[in-house]
Amino acid sequence: MTVTTRCDSCGGVLVRDIGQFIDGGQLWWGTEGNCRTCPTARCEQDTGAATPEAIRQALPAEHGPARRRLAGPEPSSVPVLRALRETYGLSLAQARATADESRTTGLTGTLVEMELTAAGLGRRSVAATVESAAD
């Protein structure tokens, strides 16, 4: 997705392509851009549980948020908690709160984040669905 921001070097318009993707079972984010006025150019890519908030806000604003829910019969808490802890590096208390949200309203975030979590749950034989949060 393309976004425009203010160039820190000259104050002009910085055009950036931003996104998230899954590689090797990990969440990655990337941004690449250049200024329309000066030679400033940027390219960043990283992985980890903490995608920069500007990217996390821009993607759902453009494409809508996604919701991941647990599907099928009520699974045991153990595989759900393990999958959430492995995927996000959560404490046990945080994983329990996230699991509770998954069972009720569903967890929302970017499409890539929800697909990553669904894949982690699938590796633990827990069925999950990912859908538009508007549904």
Side-chain angles (χ1 to χ4, degrees), residues 35-97:
C35 181
R36 291 182 175 166
T37 308
C38 74
T40 296
R42 292 188 177 154
C43 182
E44 297 176 272
Q45 180 174 305
D46 204 353
T47 187
T51 297
E53 197 59 30
I55 293 173
R56 287 201 76 250
Q57 295 301 317
L59 292 171
E62 175 79 11
H63 305 291
R67 175 172 284 125
R68 192 226 356 105
R69 297 178 197 259
L70 299 179
E74 183 75 20
S76 165
S77 294
V78 174
V80 173
L81 295 174
R82 278 192 177 166
L84 292 171
R85 293 187 76 199
E86 290 169 356
T87 303
Y88 292 111
L90 301 175
S91 70
L92 186 55
Q94 291 169 321
R96 280 190 180 127

Side-chain angles (χ1 to χ4, degrees), residues 11 25-27 35 45 55 57 71 76 90 95 98 100 102 107 114 119:
Q26 291 186 309
L27 177 68
C35 181
Q45 180 174 305
I55 293 173
Q57 295 301 317
S76 165
L90 301 175
T98 302
D100 289 344
S102 296
L107 187 65
M114 297 303 98

Side-chain angles (χ1 to χ4, degrees), residues 1-3 16-19 30 32 55 57-63:
M1 113 174 236
T2 302
V3 296
R16 298 185 316 157
D17 289 322
I18 64 171
E32 181 178 321
I55 293 173
Q57 295 301 317
L59 292 171
E62 175 79 11
H63 305 291

Side-chain angles (χ1 to χ4, degrees), residues 1-26:
M1 113 174 236
T2 302
V3 296
T4 58
T5 60
R6 185 178 157 280
C7 176
D8 292 337
S9 299
C10 73
V13 177
L14 182 68
V15 180
R16 298 185 316 157
D17 289 322
I18 64 171
Q20 283 182 316
F21 56 97
I22 299 169
D23 187 23
Q26 291 186 309

